Amino acid sequence: MTDIAQQDVLREPHLYIGGQWTAGRGADLEVENPATEQTTGVVTQAGAEDVGSAVAAAREAFDGWATTPVGERAAVLRRARDILADRADELATIINREQGSPPKVARALHVDVPIAVVDATLDALERFPFRSELGNSIVLREPVGVVGAITPWNLPLHQVVVKVVPALAAGATVVLKPAGLTPLAAFALARAFDDAGLPPGVFNLVPGSGRVVGDLLARHPHVDQVSFTGSTPVGRTIAAAAAETVKRVTLELGGKSASVVLADATDDQLATAVKVTVANCFLNGGQTCTALSRLVVPRERLAEVEELAAAAAAKYTPGGRLGPLISAGQRKEVESFLVPGAGGDRAVTVTGDVDLPDRGHWVVPTVVSRVDPDSRLAQEEVFGPVLSILAAESDDDAVRIANHSIYGLGGAVWGGDDTALAVAGRLRTGQVDVNGGGFNPAAPFGGYKQSGVGREIGEHGIADVCETKAVQR
């Protein structure tokens, strides 16, 4: 990878199939920089025949890769990891251009975090129990086969890494369809795999639309598992299509995560809770599935929280800490949550207007308080920098409000250690941070309820793409 000038249009006319860069049969797709509305890349999409070729290449490569010793699989993946680390600045530039994240966020969130996930997965691979014993049985965990990975636009490298690397580590082969809005980082990953010496066909890249490429992967009889991250409605469609061939499905879908402040939280904990919740909600322009988009606080502290949240939000200036939304359509969707009544009759906006850049898909970072728990703003995923504050009458009421959602992906609890841990156990969600606990790149990631099925990352990500066999003797 070479240095990339901001004015260059990145052109990717080839697909990566069977270890070869091959011309695609689909139409060209322009990739827009959402901060400037200018074309930053052009990608040739895959056609139906290309998808078939990629699946065939992955199927042909499977037996050899599945039987490759674990140490050899780890070695080639570690070489790819080191190549990504060497090219981290170039990767951050690509993501800044195609996804819009400010440079520091593009490097820290979009590049450094996925590299940490690769490290944790490789560590897990070294000790993964592919073979164990249970009474008179030998229990074998074997790679599922061909995995079709369909990834979203909001974290264009991270969401690819959490699907592809555990699958390859397990011994599965992969066909990847990256998001049409942000496909460029996936090409950089493909080059890293190629340069690292990954055998032909083990990883294949077929960009294209969900209606063509995504649907074909979900239905293809030679794809053994489909792993999708995106919206809950699309996840339902993917699951239905996969059911035709009874293939395994991993879904990481929407979220409406609650940050819960308990009655015994100290003044310092309250201040930290508000600051961290605003930062988490506004991270990546609010475009993260685990965004803490609901702040649930004791009613008697509501006025104090409103003041703290307004002050914290004021530090997120568009073009500074805050990046743009991914597209004009996404901006329109987020703005639909900012109309009167979206948060209920008593909802009030506690933040003011800010100046937005003349070009780009920017939206005003907003905090809305006194939100009705049944309102659209409290129930639907916004996927933008909009925080709702809800008042609770007690800790039990706070738990009720937090769980009052079809989603269950992330969450946070603030208060006395014992009390907070107890409440964390009552939240119906896949991840909970207690008093500011940080992201663990080795911990299982996934959701309850309509936030998804299955777990990704580390040991659990490897296990998710394995079949289990019992051999009696």
Side-chain angles (χ1 to χ4, degrees):
M1 188 179 295
T2 58
D3 290 340
I4 301 168
Q6 284 291 343
Q7 67 270 20
D8 292 341
V9 174
L10 303 177
R11 299 186 183 276
E12 300 288 359
H14 298 101
L15 317 177
Y16 187 69
I17 298 175
Q20 301 292 324
W21 291 99
T22 307
R25 294 177 173 85
D28 284 350
L29 173 71
E30 291 189 352
V31 180
E32 181 190 55
N33 183 332
T36 65
E37 301 181 57
Q38 296 177 324
T39 298
T40 194
V42 178
V43 171
T44 299
Q45 300 178 92
E49 292 181 22
D50 299 316
V51 177
S53 297
V55 173
R59 174 60 58 193
E60 183 178 354
F62 172 68
D63 287 343
W65 183 244
T67 56
T68 297
V70 171
E72 293 182 25
R73 292 205 301 263
V76 68
L77 292 174
R78 196 168 295 281
R79 288 196 298 271
R81 178 264 179 219
D82 291 341
I83 291 168
L84 292 176
D86 289 342
R87 300 172 181 175
D89 288 340
E90 291 93 336
L91 284 163
T93 297
I94 290 172
I95 291 167
N96 165 254
R97 289 176 47 168
E98 69 173 345
Q99 198 272 343
S101 283
K104 289 184 179 180
V105 177
R107 176 60 192 266
L109 174 65
H110 291 273
V111 180
D112 293 346
V113 169
I115 289 175
V117 168
V118 176
D119 288 337
T121 301
L122 293 177
D123 289 344
L125 178 60
E126 293 178 358
R127 59 180 185 275
F128 189 80
F130 286 103
R131 178 189 173 109
S132 60
E133 295 192 12
L134 181 65
N136 69 313
S137 298
I138 299 171
V139 179
L140 303 176
R141 289 166 125 175
E142 301 174 338
V144 66
V146 177
V147 175
I150 304 171
T151 56
W153 49 260
N154 61 319
L155 295 165
L157 180 62
H158 174 74
Q159 295 287 9
V160 169
V161 162
V162 300
K163 295 184 183 302
V164 171
V165 173
L168 298 181
T173 55
V174 175
V175 179
L176 169 67
K177 188 207 88 66
L181 291 170
T182 56
L184 300 174
F187 283 87
L189 180 65
R191 290 191 175 90
F193 284 145
D194 192 59
D195 292 344
L198 194 69
V202 172
F203 172 81
N204 305 272
L205 174 62
V206 285
S209 72
R211 290 184 178 88
V212 176
V213 178
D215 187 67
L216 286 171
L217 287 176
R219 298 179 191 277
H220 201 293
H222 293 156
V223 172
D224 301 287
Q225 180 167 343
V226 62
S227 181
F228 169 77
T229 295
S231 71
T232 295
V234 176
R236 297 187 193 111
T237 301
I238 293 286
E244 294 178 4
T245 50
V246 199
K247 60 171 53 71
R248 292 162 59 111
V249 175
T250 299
L251 302 173
E252 196 265 282
L253 307 174
K256 194 67 181 177
S257 301
S259 181
V260 178
V261 180
L262 302 176
D264 67 352
T266 65
D267 290 346
D268 286 345
Q269 285 178 323
L270 178 71
T272 301
V274 174
K275 179 181 177 181
V276 170
T277 301
V278 169
N280 181 283
C281 183
F282 291 179
L283 180 66
N284 207 37
Q287 299 166 128
T288 59
C289 50
T290 54
L292 297 174
S293 55
R294 293 182 295 154
L295 178 57
V296 184
V297 303
R299 182 173 296 279
E300 61 270 19
R301 308 189 78 170
L302 186 58
E304 181 184 1
V305 168
E306 290 173 346
E307 184 177 345
L308 289 169
K315 297 178 181 178
Y316 288 81
T317 55
R321 290 187 181 184
L322 192 71
L325 300 180
I326 191 65
S327 66
Q330 184 63 22
R331 181 183 62 207
K332 183 178 180 180
E333 175 67 14
V334 171
E335 288 174 341
S336 74
F337 286 91
L338 303 179
V339 300
D345 295 338
R346 299 181 180 180
V348 294
T349 300
V350 300
T351 46
D353 289 333
V354 298
D355 292 331
L356 299 178
D358 293 334
R359 294 181 63 85
H361 308 306
W362 305 90
V363 71
V364 175
T366 304
V367 177
V368 182
S369 187
R370 310 183 191 197
V371 172
D372 184 336
D374 292 317
S375 67
R376 178 172 180 245
L377 186 56
Q379 289 295 314
E380 297 183 21
E381 185 175 40
V382 178
F383 230 59
V386 181
L387 174 65
S388 300
I389 302 176
L390 301 93
E393 306 301 334
S394 64
D395 288 352
D396 286 343
D397 190 40
V399 171
R400 180 190 65 80
I401 292 171
N403 287 336
H404 182 49
S405 171
I406 65 170
Y407 299 114
L409 190 56
V413 184
W414 306 83
D417 288 343
D418 291 342
T419 310
L421 282 171
V423 168
R426 296 171 62 190
L427 298 185
R428 299 290 295 168
T429 186
Q431 296 81 40
V432 184
D433 301 335
V434 173
N435 291 329
F439 173 72
N440 180 354
F445 183 87
Y448 285 24
K449 299 185 280 187
Q450 293 189 39
S451 282
V453 177
R455 291 296 180 268
E456 297 178 325
I457 300 182
E459 177 183 351
H460 293 267
I462 297 172
D464 199 73
V465 289
C466 285
E467 294 279 17
T468 303
K469 177 187 292 181
V471 179
Q472 281 62 246
R473 57 184 178 176

